[in-house]
Amino acid sequence: MEEEVENLENLLKWAADMGITDSTNGNPSASCLGHSLTISNFPEAGGRGLGAVRDLRKGELILKVPKSALFTAECLLQKDQKLSLAINRHHFLSPIQILIVCLLYEVGKGKSSMWYPYLMLLPRSYHILATFGQFQRQALQVDDAIWAAERAVSTSESEWKQANKLMEELKLKPQLVSFKAWLWASATVSSRTMHIAWDKAGCLCPVGDFFNYAAPGEESDGIENVEGRMHASYLPNGGTPDILESEKFNAHLHRLTDGGFEEDVNSYCFYARKNYKKGEQVLLSYGTYTNLELLEHYGFILNENPNDKVFISLESGLYSSSSLPKESQYIEQNGKPSFALLSALRLWMTPANQRRSVGHLAYSGCQLSVDNEISVMIWISNKCHAILKNLPTSIKEDSLLLSAINKIQDYNTPMELKKVMSAFGNEVRAFLETSCLKNGKNGAAAAAAAELSLSGKTKLSIERWKFAVQWRLRYKRTLANCISYCDELGLLPCCQTG
């Protein structure tokens, strides 16, 4: 703990020397923070983050990071000829891969790196999907989520192998060439980079990356419900779109509620997205993501994510009966079917020879008839019931399992762990057998628990397992909410649902 405090103090002093500041008056200070922001701990809302040291007004400039302080491939290549020459021989690598290699290369310099105070404060581990083991991937239970996790792992392995020759040419230390190191650097880039116009990989922004996430849509005025300015180029919907002249005013409003690189001051600037009271955590929007996307690219999920959604498999004939895109047909977090899903189902429940005449009504969100609406609600409810029934565990079982995982995280002695193991089901025993050392007794759960030591590796496995269970529990609750919504409206067909 003392070492971390010292590292944090070193970072803030280094950042001040680099010109990073939360002050608009330009007065020099030993720390880059203290005028508008401070680093605080928010256990229930993202852990370490930035808090307001005074009341902040929406749209107020609260942090400025000069271009010279941004960690970019361009910056490193300009300063290091050896690195530049080596990378120029590997044109097939993507900007993301190049930035990852640059990060590992700079880590290898140790204290001689100008970025050392910043690198020392980067997290030592992440929980993005690419770090999930086989057990954690299967614990997601839902096919689409398992596939996303397996794709993330295979993509990381492929990109690592492609970059191996470059890392060997740079003579990186063996531990920095390992897949474990690649996963760490890749997760750092995925979860912490911000958009810059001149590099698709984005940049690492010291101090600016302390901001935790606020989901667009949480504010009442709707201005924030836009694509985020923070960006790693391989994230979905990443980056800032080109803006037409007629949209400059709206672009200015969006800038005031987020952050972005501003050419006129040659700095990355962050603005308060709403009014904050002294002591509140100051948040930043990264963009619009579902919980699965947040877990895949950032390594966390939200208890209440207004942008979360559940996609359900639909008959092929349903898609052909509607011109609405598949990605717009989903169930919202609160259980309400999306506008597009309702419209598509209303048309699908209509005889084919009548669809043309009522299409305009369906696409405007109108009910087509009482019987049609009841059929739609029954179909969605039955579909959600079937999905829940086919999943290995129920909502109640997952809730109990989360309680068990929390207890496992709190216990450290073999006897305590054996008690937890005996009180809960097969998944706990399977985890213990998968994650623990076995003394050759071929996997008896009791023997595994007796030998369990909650090492750092085991604790990481538990945390990722917990994320998988939390994700699938929220998925199931969305389906359950949808069943309640549809059943209620099926009994009250006169209600407007469009």
Side-chain angles (χ1 to χ4, degrees), residues 44 52 68 78 82 109 113 119 123 132-133 145 151 178 191 198-199 249 252 285 314 347 400 480:
E44 303 302 320
S68 58
Q78 289 176 349
K82 173 187 174 183
K109 291 182 179 180
S113 169
L119 299 176
F132 278 35
R151 178 196 59 191
S178 68
S191 64
W198 64 90
D199 192 330
F249 177 72
H252 175 70
S285 171
L314 304 173
L347 271 181
L400 291 172

Side-chain angles (χ1 to χ4, degrees), residues 197-459:
W198 64 90
D199 192 330
K200 292 181 179 180
C203 68
L204 291 170
C205 183
V207 183
D209 55 13
F210 278 128
F211 284 107
N212 283 321
Y213 177 72
E218 292 182 347
E219 287 73 22
S220 59
D221 61 9
I223 291 178
E224 291 79 3
N225 195 12
V226 295
E227 293 299 331
R229 297 288 190 238
M230 301 184 73
H231 171 71
S233 69
Y234 59 151
L235 300 186
N237 302 322
T240 306
D242 292 334
I243 301 170
L244 300 175
E245 284 294 319
S246 61
E247 297 175 320
K248 280 187 176 180
F249 177 72
N250 286 333
H252 175 70
L253 288 179
H254 295 331
R255 186 199 71 177
L256 292 179
T257 58
D258 282 304
F261 187 82
E262 300 184 8
E263 297 285 351
D264 54 341
V265 291
N266 204 32
S267 299
Y268 217 100
C269 297
F270 299 88
Y271 297 84
R273 57 187 285 107
K274 66 173 190 175
N275 294 329
Y276 290 98
K277 294 292 186 181
K278 180 178 178 180
E280 283 188 310
Q281 182 173 196
V282 182
L283 300 169
L284 191 72
S285 171
Y286 308 166
T288 302
Y289 299 109
T290 66
N291 270 343
L292 185 61
E293 291 167 340
L294 288 175
L295 190 55
E296 179 175 1
H297 301 295
Y298 293 97
F300 68 88
I301 56 180
L302 297 177
N303 288 325
E304 296 295 332
N305 183 357
N307 303 300
D308 204 16
K309 56 193 68 168
V310 167
F311 292 91
I312 57 177
S313 59
L314 304 173
E315 283 77 356
S316 58
L318 194 153
Y319 294 122
S320 62
S321 69
S322 169
S323 61
L324 297 170
K326 292 182 182 180
E327 58 270 18
S328 66
Q329 300 176 31
Y330 55 82
I331 298 169
E332 298 172 8
Q333 184 196 35
N334 59 11
K336 183 178 180 180
S338 70
F339 176 93
L341 179 59
L342 284 176
S343 299
L345 285 169
R346 286 165 178 161
L347 271 181
W348 188 56
M349 294 290 182
T350 301
N353 62 352
Q354 298 177 22
R355 289 172 185 168
R356 182 182 294 273
S357 63
V358 298
H360 66 289
L361 295 174
Y363 291 136
S364 64
C366 295
Q367 292 185 19
L368 303 185
S369 71
V370 171
D371 289 342
N372 177 277
E373 197 69 12
I374 292 175
S375 297
V376 167
M377 294 302 157
I378 291 174
W379 188 94
I380 297 175
S381 179
N382 288 341
K383 188 73 173 180
C384 293
H385 270 297
I387 294 173
L388 288 173
K389 183 179 179 180
N390 287 330
L391 292 172
T393 56
S394 67
I395 290 175
K396 181 178 179 180
E397 288 169 330
D398 285 349
S399 298
L400 291 172
L401 180 57
L402 279 179
S403 175
I405 294 173
N406 288 332
K407 290 181 178 180
I408 290 173
Q409 288 179 305
D410 293 337
Y411 292 163
N412 288 288
T413 69
M415 287 303 297
E416 290 173 323
L417 289 167
K418 287 176 71 175
K419 289 179 181 178
V420 175
M421 183 190 70
S422 62
F424 292 90
N426 294 332
E427 192 166 345
V428 172
R429 289 192 288 273
F431 173 79
L432 293 174
E433 291 189 345
T434 301
S435 304
C436 305
L437 296 173
K438 302 172 191 155
N439 58 2
K441 293 188 178 179
N442 223 9
E451 297 219 359
L452 176 63
S453 171
L454 287 185
S455 63
K457 182 178 180 181
T458 302
K459 289 178 180 178

Side-chain angles (χ1 to χ4, degrees), residues 75-85 105 109:
C75 176
L76 270 69
L77 295 179
Q78 289 176 349
K79 295 177 181 296
D80 194 308
Q81 187 176 18
K82 173 187 174 183
L83 179 64
S84 178
L85 291 174
Y105 179 77
K109 291 182 179 180

